Amino acid sequence: MSGLAGKLDPRRVQWGSAWNTFTSRVLRTKPVESMLDSAMTGTGPHGTKLARVLSTMDLVSLGVGSCVGTGMYVVSGLVAKEMAGPGVIVSFIIAAVASILSGVCYAEFGVRVPKTTGSAYTYSYVTVGECVAFFIGWNLILEYLIGTAAGASALSSMADSLANHSISNFMTTHIGTLNGFGKGEQSYPDLLALLIALLVTVIVALGVKNSVGFNNVLNVINLVVWVFLMIAGLFFVNGENWDEGRFLPFGWSGVMQGAATCFYAFIGFDIIATTGEEAKSPNTSIPYAITASLITCLTAYVSVSVILTLMVPYDEIDADAPLMEMFAVHGCMFAKYIVAVGSIAGLTVSLLGSLFPMPRVIYAMAGDGLLFKFLANVSSYTETPAVACVVSGFLAALLSLLVSLRDLIEMMSIGTLLAYTLVSLCVLLLRYQPEGDIHGFVNFLSEEQKTKKKEGVLAECEKDACSPTTEADEYGGLPTNTCGAKNLPSLGDNEMLIGKPDKNAYAASHPNYGTVDMASGIEAEEAEDGMTRRLKKLIGPRYYTLRIRLGLPGKMDRPTPLTGKTVTVCVLLLFIVIFAFCSFIIFGANSIAEGRWWALLLLIFFIVFIALLIVIILQQPENPKRLPYMAPCVPFVPASAMLVNIYLMLKLSAITWIRFSVWCLVGVLIYFGYGMWNSTLEITARENEVHASTYQRYDQGVDEGFCGFDDDFYPPAGDAWDTPDAGSGPGRAPEAVPESTGTPVKRAVVPNQADDEAAVDF
């Protein structure tokens, strides 16, 4: 006992060494080469294999289905009635902007680390560190868990509405009510939601192709009903519902609070990012699917919100089944039942879209050792993570049984917003890191191009740009890369004037790939994005003067470890300052509105500090690598995404933050109690340490005079192969030869197959 107390004595603990060990563990990154090996062998990163069967349209269908179902049939009515009124339209637009800002960051991450499962968890594991990756994955599990439970609860509420609330009355009368899960209101145990969640779990566990086929059929039904809803609703609209200040009855504060909840309706694109290991061409299909899903969802939400708030006054909207009841209010019962069919299809596909990625994130984390290993088991029959499917489905069913729909939606939003914030932060960090820190990504992408034929429009454009087919195309043809893909490297006019470019100069592993013509050193203007070209036209010749005065780097400048560290510090400070700024805007709004001098001074300080940090980041050189897709306007887009996401997080209720803190506390216990010590990186490090400690030199502990060799061990160059004496032959006895030093040295004659003799001194 005294020995243990002595070891724990703070005076004897080497705090510097302990701190370095701790930080090395929580900040260690997963080598991307491990995923490259799995891609080459056709197996997953954990030695398993998932079916690679998803096309770009399948991914778009998954994203749209997971969004439009619950978002269109539930969230629109809930936010319109209780938070924003007809201003729900603005809430959806604000939430869509935040989603698009985060979506482009997700798309770049998906291209940097394709053919992986786990979405933002895997992206951050190979870029930022293990601890951040765990908490991103932990929040993604919360997001999908609550999304599945919310979908099951929404389906149950819709069925109850169709049955004139007989289901809820029966449950309340014969089973009773639950208290304490909502904001003081009573709710009944939803057994129907439990059964629905378990049924969809079975469908997801049967295989990815079956799940996606079922998803596509439901999406077609949902699309037909949406078109009917738009046409039929035009006959019942009433413009007076927006008159006399009724458009924003809760003010802009209600609009922003509604936007935080509406953000729940745009979670489809991160579901797309979890399918990298099952997509046929993830490096092109993931960016396309993310963009198409967000645009489709925004169109659906805005159109439905317009029809809903024009047909029914906001305070008379049914919060549980708004789209069905808006036709019932006008006596159009047949339309109600048609919308009910779409509601069933939309909510089912939304439930399927939420449950589909959850076991894949759990599978990725368990395969890396951060969660329990048995969760990484993949069924050889269905080629799905069967154990993770069963566990996640059971937890979602239990949650839908006990928690009300409104609380589920708010809890889901906070986990999603935090994950998107961290993804934007990671993209901002990666753009300014030196080549050595992200070299693995380049190797990964170059190997992808070597082992698999390029697919899609981007690949064809790149092929046409870098491989002209005729001599006219090389010298006198139209400029290449005319497909409109601005992020692709292209051959510019400078190169065509010089002559045929060296194709080897545009290898993906070269630091100036897509940036500079290596034969001439002239910068390729087409490598610039559209924003830079428009800025040049707007400012004119003062563009370069402005760059010099702001201290912006030139195209030939390359990031160094020092500039990378500077950006890292600035990004972390930016995150902290934005959090403080949003907190002050929300909780100090009254003081700002009253014009108090200290509030205005503090507001100006935050704005100037944020602008200064962004300028410092702009002054650092970017990594010149060009990917098939890259987020535009860095660092402004990631910084704006962080600002919007953090603001929407802080607009959620206090009880949501308390529940989220409890969830994070459970995650802390799991990571520091199990994940840190059982991760594959930790086990590999221990094995290497044991191997290094057991390795010994062959002559360790042996007397140096006995085992050491004289300089005469290697004979002079001229005597390396001595000519044997005439009388020598095989089996001749060793003979002592006097040396100049006076030390007798034996010379052994060794016979070989050619009957030659080699003399070796020892």
Side-chain angles (χ1 to χ4, degrees):
M1 190 69 181
S2 60
L4 178 62
K7 292 181 179 179
L8 296 178
D9 187 355
R11 294 172 297 179
R12 301 183 60 181
V13 175
Q14 297 180 357
W15 294 106
S17 176
W19 173 253
N20 291 335
T21 303
F22 174 78
T23 54
S24 65
R25 279 194 169 100
V26 299
L27 297 179
R28 58 193 171 193
T29 57
K30 183 179 181 180
V32 75
E33 288 79 7
S34 61
M35 290 177 289
L36 175 60
D37 295 338
S38 65
M40 298 283 290
T41 58
T43 60
H46 317 307
T48 56
K49 183 179 180 180
L50 300 179
R52 192 175 295 280
V53 295
L54 300 181
S55 64
T56 302
M57 287 304 300
D58 291 332
L59 297 183
V60 173
S61 179
L62 273 175
V64 172
S66 64
C67 294
V68 170
T70 310
M72 187 168 72
Y73 291 102
V74 177
V75 174
S76 58
L78 178 66
V79 174
K81 181 175 183 178
E82 300 185 6
M83 300 180 188
V88 65
I89 300 169
V90 184
S91 297
F92 272 123
I93 294 175
I94 295 173
V97 171
S99 299
I100 291 172
L101 293 175
S102 302
V104 295
C105 297
Y106 257 94
E108 178 173 332
F109 252 3
V111 172
R112 284 189 181 275
V113 195
K115 290 191 176 181
T116 60
T117 188
S119 181
Y121 158 74
T122 305
Y123 304 158
S124 56
Y125 204 169
V126 299
T127 56
V128 181
E130 184 177 275
C131 185
V132 174
F134 175 85
F135 281 99
I136 288 181
W138 189 243
N139 287 323
L140 287 175
I141 293 174
L142 173 68
E143 170 192 337
Y144 301 137
L145 180 67
I146 295 179
T148 304
S153 297
L155 268 174
S156 177
S157 298
M158 187 269 302
D160 184 44
S161 177
L162 287 175
N164 294 322
H165 302 284
S166 60
I167 298 176
S168 58
N169 293 332
F170 177 83
M171 293 290 183
T172 304
T173 303
H174 293 82
I175 298 179
T177 58
L178 297 171
N179 230 340
F181 289 94
K183 296 180 179 179
E185 74 272 10
Q186 291 184 341
S187 61
Y188 62 92
D190 200 343
L191 291 177
L192 181 59
L194 173 73
L195 295 177
I196 293 172
L198 293 177
L199 178 62
V200 176
T201 300
V202 174
I203 296 175
V204 171
L206 288 178
V208 60
K209 196 61 179 178
N210 297 329
S211 303
V212 174
F214 182 61
N215 179 86
N216 294 340
V217 172
L218 294 177
N219 269 335
V220 171
I221 297 174
N222 197 24
L223 177 63
V224 172
V225 172
W226 173 69
V227 173
F228 167 80
L229 190 148
M230 291 295 100
I231 296 175
L234 292 176
F235 294 96
F236 303 100
V237 296
N238 183 6
E240 294 180 358
N241 293 333
W242 287 10
D243 291 342
E244 299 177 0
R246 294 173 62 87
F247 187 79
L248 297 178
F250 300 96
W252 283 104
S253 177
V255 169
M256 297 308 298
Q257 184 179 1
T261 303
C262 287
F263 197 89
Y264 159 75
F266 291 95
I267 65 164
F269 65 83
D270 64 318
I271 290 176
I272 294 171
T274 65
T275 61
E277 199 173 324
E278 295 165 290
K280 295 178 181 178
S281 181
N283 56 342
T284 55
S285 59
I286 287 179
Y288 285 147
I290 288 175
T291 304
S293 298
L294 289 174
I295 294 174
T296 304
C297 292
L298 176 60
T299 303
Y301 294 151
V302 171
S303 59
V304 166
S305 299
V306 169
I307 295 295
L308 174 63
T309 54
L310 285 175
M311 286 183 63
V312 184
Y314 75 91
D315 53 350
E316 298 179 12
I317 293 175
D318 187 283
D320 293 329
L323 299 189
M324 288 192 305
E325 296 301 325
M326 73 179 184
F327 285 105
V329 168
H330 293 277
C332 189
M333 300 306 296
F334 81 93
K336 172 183 177 180
Y337 291 108
I338 292 177
V339 174
V341 174
S343 299
I344 295 174
L347 294 175
T348 303
V349 76
S350 177
L351 173 60
L352 184 66
S354 295
L355 184 57
F356 181 83
M358 179 164 51
R360 282 149 181 82
V361 176
I362 296 175
Y363 155 79
M365 297 180 69
D368 291 329
L370 300 183
L371 293 179
F372 306 107
K373 280 288 187 182
F374 73 91
L375 295 172
N377 180 52
V378 174
S379 171
S380 58
Y381 177 73
T382 62
E383 294 182 315
T384 57
V387 177
C389 283
V390 172
V391 172
S392 58
F394 176 77
L395 291 176
L398 186 63
L399 202 60
S400 65
L401 174 70
L402 301 175
V403 185
S404 65
L405 179 60
R406 171 174 178 155
D407 298 320
L408 289 172
I409 291 175
E410 287 199 0
M411 275 289 292
M412 185 176 183
S413 295
I414 192 171
T416 308
L417 288 166
L418 181 59
Y420 293 173
T421 302
L422 294 176
V423 167
S424 304
L425 186 146
C426 293
V427 168
L428 191 54
L429 285 174
L430 281 179
R431 280 293 191 93
Y432 295 92
Q433 298 308 310
E435 183 58 36
D437 293 346
I438 59 173
H439 187 63
F441 297 120
V442 180
N443 291 340
F444 187 88
L445 292 173
S446 60
E447 289 296 330
E448 284 269 323
Q449 296 168 353
K450 292 178 183 178
T451 57
K452 183 177 179 181
K453 184 179 180 180
K454 297 177 182 177
E455 301 177 2
V457 178
L458 291 177
E460 290 299 325
C461 294
E462 184 177 0
K463 180 179 178 181
D464 294 338
C466 297
S467 302
T469 55
T470 64
E471 198 170 307
D473 291 334
E474 291 183 21
Y475 299 101
L478 294 173
T480 56
N481 191 14
T482 58
C483 67
K486 300 177 181 179
N487 294 299
L488 281 176
S490 58
L491 304 180
D493 296 335
N494 295 328
E495 298 159 7
M496 290 187 286
L497 289 173
I498 294 170
K500 182 177 180 180
D502 182 11
K503 295 182 181 180
N504 295 330
Y506 289 89
S509 59
H510 199 283
N512 291 330
Y513 173 62
T515 306
V516 178
D517 177 17
M518 297 308 299
S520 63
I522 299 177
E523 298 175 359
E525 294 294 327
E526 283 74 13
E528 298 176 347
D529 56 18
M531 182 65 69
T532 302
R533 288 195 293 269
R534 286 191 291 268
L535 194 60
K536 281 185 176 181
K537 291 181 180 179
L538 179 64
I539 300 178
R542 297 179 181 177
Y543 171 78
Y544 295 100
T545 304
L546 182 62
R547 287 183 61 94
I548 294 174
R549 290 184 177 179
L550 291 177
L552 302 183
K555 284 191 176 181
M556 298 301 295
D557 294 334
R558 296 294 177 262
T560 64
L562 180 60
T563 61
K565 186 176 181 181
T566 301
V567 172
T568 301
V569 173
C570 289
V571 169
L572 294 179
L573 286 176
L574 184 65
F575 175 80
I576 296 172
V577 174
I578 287 178
F579 191 90
F581 173 70
C582 293
S583 301
F584 178 68
I585 288 292
I586 293 172
F587 301 110
N590 294 332
S591 299
I592 297 175
E594 294 173 0
R596 297 183 179 180
W597 67 270
W598 61 268
L600 297 178
L601 184 62
L602 192 58
L603 182 65
I604 295 173
F605 169 76
F606 279 128
I607 294 175
V608 172
F609 199 3
I610 291 174
L612 180 62
L613 290 174
I614 292 178
V615 169
I616 294 176
I617 294 174
L618 276 172
Q619 291 176 342
Q620 312 308 315
E622 282 191 47
N623 192 285
K625 292 300 176 184
R626 290 294 176 260
L627 303 172
Y629 181 88
M630 300 183 74
C633 302
V634 175
F636 298 105
V637 167
S640 301
M642 291 167 58
L643 178 64
V644 175
N645 293 335
I646 292 174
Y647 181 84
L648 294 179
M649 285 174 62
L650 293 173
K651 289 295 290 183
L652 294 173
S653 61
I655 189 66
T656 301
W657 275 94
I658 293 174
R659 293 167 181 156
F660 180 69
S661 301
V662 173
W663 175 261
C664 289
L665 178 61
V666 175
V668 168
L669 296 177
I670 292 177
Y671 176 70
F672 289 104
Y674 177 85
M676 176 189 286
W677 311 103
N678 293 276
S679 71
T680 53
L681 298 183
E682 175 71 16
I683 294 174
T684 302
R686 289 178 186 170
E687 292 175 352
N688 293 337
E689 184 178 356
V690 170
H691 179 72
S693 63
T694 55
Y695 174 78
Q696 296 180 352
R697 291 182 54 191
Y698 69 92
D699 60 345
Q700 185 173 355
V702 182
D703 181 59
E704 185 176 353
F706 174 77
C707 66
F709 291 101
D710 295 332
D711 295 335
D712 297 326
F713 177 77
Y714 296 101
D719 299 328
W721 300 96
D722 293 340
T723 304
D725 297 337
S728 63
R732 181 178 176 182
E735 176 182 21
V737 180
E739 299 290 333
S740 59
T741 58
T743 303
V745 179
K746 300 274 186 186
R747 173 163 297 181
V749 181
V750 183
N752 56 18
Q753 293 180 355
D755 204 25
D756 294 331
E757 296 174 350
V760 180
D761 295 338
F762 64 92

